[in-house]
């Protein structure tokens, strides 16, 4: 592996910024909590799903390929997501005190690649809700979200993939002692109290 000057400058810029992974099933409430963290702490919120959907909306060739993958409820290629996150982080490097990386890593390998190319997370926020709760919320969100993956068939696939691929991510970082679980069965503001406690504890 080689490092260019650009990479060195990048790591220098973000080395003091906190990196928080926000992990939880589809519809668990990651986006909802991240918005509140942005408002209270001024962190930069980067949702891998939103970045990908923006690429789809641009109508680019890459966007068309991504659309097909996401509609099936599958994971898009690792390098694609990581490049997008990195570009978005660079764009905010001068102003950002911290980054909320929402919906990434989806699998252990993605976490490892992120650390190699970008840096180490100081916290993994585990937004936990029951499967049935997530399905209910997604079906409701699907009424207005316009998201092509908020339909019953795709939701089931996304949940299966979450349990299979993403739960091991939580176990992986538990080994490092940086996981804080919040109970997202509770009302939004109650969940946010738990989120705040976890963030306030960061040095
Ligand atoms: N604690 C909570 N109680 C009730 N509804 C919640 C909730 N957190 C989120 N929601 C709602 C808002 C959305 O319509 C839906 C999914 O939330 P989201 O933040 O978009 O989830 P995610 O980003 O994890 O997919 O559930
Ligand atoms: Mg989301």
């Amino acid at each position: 592996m080689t490092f260019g000057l650009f990479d060195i400058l990048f790591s220098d810029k973000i080395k003091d910024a906190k990196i928080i992974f926000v992990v939880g099933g589809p519809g668990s409430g990651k986006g909802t909590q991240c918005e509140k963290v942005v408002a209270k702490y001024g962190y930069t919120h980067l949702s891998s799903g939103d970045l990908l959907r923006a690429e789809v909306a641009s109508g680019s060739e890459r966007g068309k390929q991504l659309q097909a993958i996401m509609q099936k409820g599958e994971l898009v290629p690792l390098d694609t997501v990581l490049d997008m996150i990195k570009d978005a982080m660079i764009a905010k490097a001068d102003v950002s005190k911290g980054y909320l990386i929402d919906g990434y890593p989806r699998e252990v390998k993605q976490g490892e690649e992120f650390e190699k190319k970008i840096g180490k997370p100081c916290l993994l926020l585990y937004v936990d809700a029951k499967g049935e709760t997530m399905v209910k919320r997604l079906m409701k969100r699907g009424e207005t979200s316009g998201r092509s993956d908020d339909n019953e068939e795709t939701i089931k696939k996304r949940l299966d993939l979450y349990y299979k691929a993403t739960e091991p991510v939580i176990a992986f970082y538990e080994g490092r002692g940086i996981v804080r679980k919040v109970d997202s069965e509770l009302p939004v503001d109650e969940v946010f109290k738990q989120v705040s406690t976890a963030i306030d504890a960061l040095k």
Side-chain angles (χ1 to χ4, degrees), residues 181-183 186 189-199:
K181 174 163 139 176
V182 297
D183 180 3
L186 298 171
D189 288 338
E190 295 298 316
V191 184
F192 187 60
K193 277 185 199 157
Q194 298 183 4
V195 169
S196 295
T197 301
I199 294 180

Side-chain angles (χ1 to χ4, degrees), residues 148-159:
S148 62
D149 58 352
D150 279 350
N151 64 76
E152 198 161 0
E153 196 193 331
T154 311
I155 288 170
K156 198 182 163 305
K157 285 193 196 150
R158 289 159 67 202
L159 268 183

Side-chain angles (χ1 to χ4, degrees), residues 27 30-32 45 47 50 53 102 141 147:
K30 301 180 297 294
T32 303
H45 176 207
S47 154
D50 289 349
R53 282 184 288 277
D102 164 8
R141 186 175 78 181
R147 278 180 53 168

